[in-house]
Amino acid sequence: MSVSLLLVPLAVATVAAVRGATADRDDRGRIICQVQTRMRDETLLTAALRETNAVVSAEDQGIVAAWDRVQANFRRGEDGVWSAHLTGEVDEQRAVDIIRAIDAGYGRQVQRAVLDRLRERAPAAGLRLESETVADDASVRMVFAVEGRSS
């Protein structure tokens, strides 16, 4: 007997991930865009930011990511979701595009974490990984064999 799991990348849902964007200017006249996302896990967010070639640093209450002429300050809201405050050479569309790229990377990080947990926990559940294939759309198919049990 075998069990197949098909994990579709969360990056497919990136369009729905961006809840909204607003723009304003700071005291120096720079455009500031604030974009809400679905991202919650700090470690996965940091990895996703690095995947976009951002220089990432942690602060007391958030994360700072810097690219060429754009900086994003991430802060966690009361609901646990991060908000990104982007400054520099950025407009609303570029801010949304940056967040979508980060969200896509976040989805890939989530997928990797889930796959790692499945591989790690399978033996304890009496499963043995027989095969693993990655499709063109980055979905992963894992086939597990159920280890024999005596009744």
Side-chain angles (χ1 to χ4, degrees):
M1 181 171 157
S2 60
V3 178
S4 295
L5 300 175
L6 183 65
L7 300 176
V8 179
L10 293 175
V12 173
T14 59
V15 174
V18 178
R19 296 186 196 154
T22 58
D24 204 350
R25 291 195 179 268
D26 69 5
D27 56 355
R28 290 190 243 166
R30 296 179 303 181
I31 295 174
I32 300 174
C33 295
Q34 180 174 342
V35 182
Q36 296 291 326
T37 71
R38 66 180 170 148
M39 296 178 269
R40 293 183 183 269
D41 185 281
E42 184 173 350
T43 303
L44 298 179
L45 175 56
T46 300
L49 288 165
R50 288 194 174 109
E51 195 176 292
T52 66
N53 296 318
V55 176
V56 181
S57 58
E59 289 188 349
D60 290 340
Q61 298 179 3
I63 299 171
V64 176
W67 301 269
D68 185 35
R69 295 182 291 251
V70 176
Q71 181 171 309
N73 292 300
F74 290 82
R75 300 287 180 258
R76 192 184 306 269
E78 291 180 16
D79 59 359
V81 175
W82 292 93
S83 64
H85 301 272
L86 290 90
T87 57
E89 293 183 20
V90 64
D91 58 15
E92 286 181 75
Q93 186 58 53
R94 185 162 183 215
V96 170
D97 291 344
I98 289 169
I99 296 303
R100 284 185 177 153
I102 296 165
D103 190 68
Y106 187 88
R108 288 186 293 275
Q109 296 298 322
V110 169
Q111 184 181 35
R112 284 184 197 115
V114 169
L115 292 171
D116 289 346
R117 276 196 305 271
L118 285 170
R119 286 184 206 102
E120 180 183 303
R121 295 178 182 172
L127 302 172
R128 178 178 35 85
L129 181 62
E130 288 190 334
S131 68
E132 182 175 326
T133 55
V134 179
D136 291 339
D137 66 355
S139 61
V140 178
R141 180 183 180 102
M142 301 174 83
V143 177
F144 292 90
V146 177
E147 296 292 323
R149 297 181 188 191
S150 56
S151 302

